[in-house]
Amino acid sequence: HHNIGAAKSANGNFEEARRELNNGLSIGIKIFGEKHPFISEIYFELGENSTNQDHFEQALHYYQQAIIALVADFENQNIYSNPPLKNISEEIRLLSIFAKKAATLEALYSQQTNNIKDLTFSLLTYDLAIQLVDKISRGYKAETSRLFLREHAHDIYCQAIDAAYDLYQLTNNEEFKHKAFLFAEKSKARVLQQALLDSKAKKFGGIPDSLLEQEYQLKNELALYDEKMFKEREQGSAGDNIKIRFWQDRIFSLKRNYESQMEKFENEYPEYYKLKYQASVVSPWLLQEQAAEDNSTIIEYFISHHSILTFVLTKNSFDLIASSKDSLFENRIKTMLSALKNSDYFGYASKASLLYQLLIAPIESQISTQKLIIIPDGLLGYLPFESLLTEDVSENQQDYRTLPYLIHKYQISYHCSASLLYEALTQRQEQQRRINFVGFAPVMFK
C-alpha cells in the first residue's frame, strides 16, 4: 500500500495515493506501533501529497506526526512546536522532515496567510535542522551520514539564509542578519573545519594514540550495530526479535562506554575535547574587532538558489546586501575563467566588467579600506577578483596593460571561511606579540 501510494503520488493521482497511504498506515501501526521509522515515512509521504496540492496546513499536521513517530518522548501535535534533539530513532530521516516542515511553513506564509508567525517558525525549524546537522557531523554516525549531508545540507543552509534575510527585510531586526551570517559561516566551515579540528585535536590535544584508537573503534561499532538493528526492524513482523534485543543491549553498552570516554576526554584532555567537539562559529562583532586591528574590510559571499548575499564587515559596520542571481550567473564565471585561460580578450573583458557590477558595485559604498579580505562561495572560489574590471571596455582597445583592473583600487586576499580567518588572524597576532627579536645573517648578492 505504501509503495503504490508513493507511485500514485509521483504520477499526480493524489486522491488515490492518499487512500493507499492511509491503508498502509493503518496496517503499519498494527505491526510496528505509533513510534517507528516506517510509520514516520508514511506520514511524510502523506505530507508531501498534501504539499503538492497546496494544502499546506494539512501537510504540516502530517509532518508533525512524522516527527512524533521518530522521537521517543515527543507527543506534541501543535505544528508550532519542535522536539529536543534527543531520543531520536533516525536522525537523517528527522533532518529531512525538519527541512520539509520549514519549507512548508515558508510556503504557507508567502502563498496563503502572510502571517509573520509562520515565517518566524520556519526559521526556527531550519535552525533546529542545522543544529541536527552539527549533531550528526560530530556523532558516531558521521562517516555513514557524510554522503547524505554533502548532498542535502547545503540546500538547508540556502533556505535558512533566505528565510533569515526575508525576516530581516520585514522587521529590520539585527538578530535575523546575524542569524543569516551564522548560517552562511556554518555552511562553509562545516566539512573543512571538522577535518581541520580533527587533525588539530590529535596534534595539540596531548592525547595518547591508544585512546584515539579506542574512540575510533567505539564509533565504528556503534554505527555497525545501529545499521544492523535498523535493517532488522524494517522487516517488521518478519524481523528477528532476539537479534534486535541483543543489538539493543550492545548499543546501550557501547553508548555508555562512548559517553564515559567523552567525559574522560572533557575532564582529563580538555584541549582535545574543546578542539574536536566544541567547534564554534565566529560572531560578527569579534570579526569586526579583527577587521579594525587589521585595517581591512571583510567581504563574505553566499550564493543561494536565487540570490547573491554579501556580508560586509568593517570596524564600524556590518551590512547584508542581497542581489538577484539569474540562471546565467555561473555560466558568466565559467566563461570569464575560460577566456582568461585561452587569452580571449573580448570574452574576458565583457564578463569581467559584468561580474564587477554584480559582485562589487552593489557593496562598494560600504567598503571603507583599501585592504579587502574576500571569503568566496561556490564557483566564486575560482574567480580572481583582482582581474575584475571596474569600467566597461571598448572593443577597439585590446590592450591588457591599460585595463581598469580592480587590483588598482584594492589590495585583495582570500580566505575559505570567516571562522578560520578569525582563528588565523588571532594566532598571527599572538605570535607577533611573542616575537621581540629579529636577526639577519650576512647575504652576498651578485
Side-chain angles (χ1 to χ4, degrees):
H1 284 296
H2 170 243
N3 291 340
I4 292 170
K8 287 184 179 293
S9 279
N11 288 330
N13 299 324
F14 298 123
E15 293 305 319
E16 292 180 31
R18 188 159 62 247
R19 281 197 295 273
E20 294 290 347
L21 290 169
N22 278 316
N23 285 336
L25 181 65
S26 298
I27 298 168
I29 289 173
K30 289 177 184 176
I31 297 171
F32 301 113
E34 292 279 359
K35 299 278 188 180
H36 192 276
F38 180 70
I39 302 304
S40 176
E41 189 176 341
I42 297 183
Y43 277 127
F44 184 78
E45 292 276 1
L46 284 163
E48 289 208 304
N49 182 290
S50 297
T51 300
N52 289 333
Q53 300 176 80
D54 293 340
H55 300 159
F56 298 128
E57 290 192 20
Q58 184 181 57
L60 286 164
H61 286 292
Y62 283 130
Y63 293 139
Q64 193 70 8
Q65 292 295 336
I67 292 168
I68 289 169
L70 288 181
V71 184
D73 50 0
F74 182 69
E75 302 289 347
N76 197 328
Q77 307 276 340
N78 186 345
I79 63 171
Y80 299 105
S81 65
N82 283 322
L85 298 180
K86 58 183 182 179
N87 299 323
I88 302 164
S89 59
E90 280 297 314
E91 290 176 338
I92 288 292
R93 199 186 298 270
L94 183 61
L95 181 61
S96 297
I97 301 167
F98 279 158
K100 200 70 179 183
K101 178 181 176 180
T104 306
L105 281 161
E106 198 168 2
L108 180 66
Y109 161 79
S110 61
Q111 297 181 38
Q112 293 181 3
T113 67
N114 205 32
N115 186 342
I116 201 168
K117 176 184 178 183
D118 296 324
L119 186 57
T120 303
F121 203 77
S122 170
L123 180 62
L124 288 172
T125 306
Y126 279 128
D127 196 354
L128 192 63
I130 288 169
Q131 291 177 45
L132 185 54
V133 168
D134 291 342
K135 186 174 187 286
I136 294 168
S137 297
R138 293 194 301 267
Y140 66 87
K141 296 183 186 179
E143 289 298 323
T144 56
S145 306
R146 189 164 291 171
L147 178 62
F148 178 90
L149 292 179
R150 186 166 65 241
E151 291 178 350
H152 298 282
H154 186 70
D155 281 344
I156 294 173
Y157 287 116
C158 284
Q159 292 162 335
I161 290 168
D162 283 341
Y165 179 75
D166 289 343
L167 282 165
Y168 174 59
Q169 290 292 98
L170 284 166
T171 65
N172 205 30
N173 186 333
E174 296 281 310
E175 177 190 348
F176 297 122
K177 181 171 65 174
H178 296 152
K179 187 67 76 174
F181 177 80
L182 173 73
F183 292 154
E185 259 308 285
K186 279 180 175 288
S187 75
K188 287 186 176 67
R190 183 179 61 81
V191 175
L192 177 60
Q193 192 177 47
Q194 198 60 45
L196 288 174
L197 288 172
D198 191 34
S199 172
K200 188 176 176 183
K202 290 175 181 177
K203 184 176 180 182
F204 299 109
I207 190 166
D209 290 343
S210 58
L211 287 180
L212 291 174
E213 179 63 24
Q214 191 177 337
E215 178 192 20
Y216 176 77
Q217 292 295 340
L218 274 171
K219 289 170 76 171
N220 275 0
E221 275 196 84
L222 274 165
L224 174 68
Y225 284 116
D226 201 67
E227 185 178 359
K228 283 177 179 289
M229 191 170 71
F230 175 70
K231 287 182 177 178
E232 200 68 34
R233 277 178 166 170
E234 276 200 317
Q235 298 181 44
S237 55
D240 189 330
N241 288 326
I242 294 174
K243 285 183 179 178
I244 290 172
R245 281 197 296 272
F246 171 76
W247 289 330
Q248 279 177 329
D249 291 342
R250 185 67 183 139
I251 287 170
F252 179 78
S253 175
L254 286 168
K255 278 187 175 179
R256 290 285 298 272
N257 290 342
Y258 186 71
E259 287 163 6
S260 296
Q261 190 176 50
M262 292 304 100
E263 190 175 336
K264 180 184 181 71
F265 288 162
E266 187 173 10
N267 293 330
E268 297 182 22
Y269 304 95
E271 193 65 23
Y272 176 80
Y273 185 84
K274 181 182 176 184
L275 285 169
K276 186 167 182 180
Y277 293 102
Q278 292 185 332
S280 59
V281 173
V282 68
S283 73
W285 304 285
L286 286 174
L287 211 55
Q288 281 180 273
E289 290 176 13
Q290 287 296 335
E293 198 159 337
D294 205 46
N295 194 29
S296 59
T297 298
I298 298 168
I299 302 170
E300 175 159 357
Y301 292 96
F302 185 87
I303 311 301
S304 75
H305 297 308
H306 308 293
S307 303
I308 305 165
L309 291 110
T310 312
F311 301 91
V312 184
L313 295 101
T314 69
K315 63 179 181 180
N316 297 318
S317 64
F318 169 41
D319 296 294
L320 170 57
I321 298 97
S323 52
S324 61
K325 183 194 83 169
D326 61 25
S327 58
L328 297 175
F329 176 71
E330 283 87 0
N331 186 58
R332 291 186 184 111
I333 297 172
K334 291 176 183 177
T335 301
M336 177 179 156
L337 294 174
S338 176
L340 281 171
K341 181 178 179 182
N342 299 309
S343 299
D344 173 6
Y345 178 86
F346 296 116
Y348 158 67
S350 61
K351 295 299 182 288
S353 59
L354 183 57
L355 287 170
Y356 167 80
Q357 292 299 325
L358 286 171
L359 298 170
I360 299 296
I363 62 170
E364 201 144 22
S365 61
Q366 276 77 34
I367 296 174
S368 59
T369 65
Q370 285 192 311
K371 184 177 180 181
L372 305 184
I373 301 176
I374 291 177
I375 300 168
D377 188 40
L379 271 180
L380 293 182
Y382 297 95
L383 186 68
F385 279 72
E386 297 91 341
S387 64
L388 298 183
L389 301 180
T390 58
E391 300 170 15
D392 290 334
V393 177
S394 169
E395 291 186 6
N396 299 322
Q397 192 171 346
Q398 295 195 45
D399 186 355
Y400 284 102
R401 293 171 299 177
T402 60
L403 293 179
Y405 298 113
L406 188 64
I407 198 170
H408 292 323
K409 296 181 70 174
Y410 303 109
Q411 174 191 339
I412 299 172
S413 60
Y414 302 88
H415 219 285
C416 49
S417 91
S419 298
L420 295 174
L421 167 65
Y422 176 76
E423 185 177 339
L425 289 173
T426 304
Q427 287 179 352
R428 188 177 73 189
Q429 287 162 6
E430 287 176 358
Q431 288 169 356
Q432 287 172 346
R433 281 193 287 268
R434 287 198 297 268
I435 295 171
N436 54 18
F437 170 81
V438 60
F440 299 91
V443 179
M444 299 295 292
F445 294 101
K446 291 184 179 179

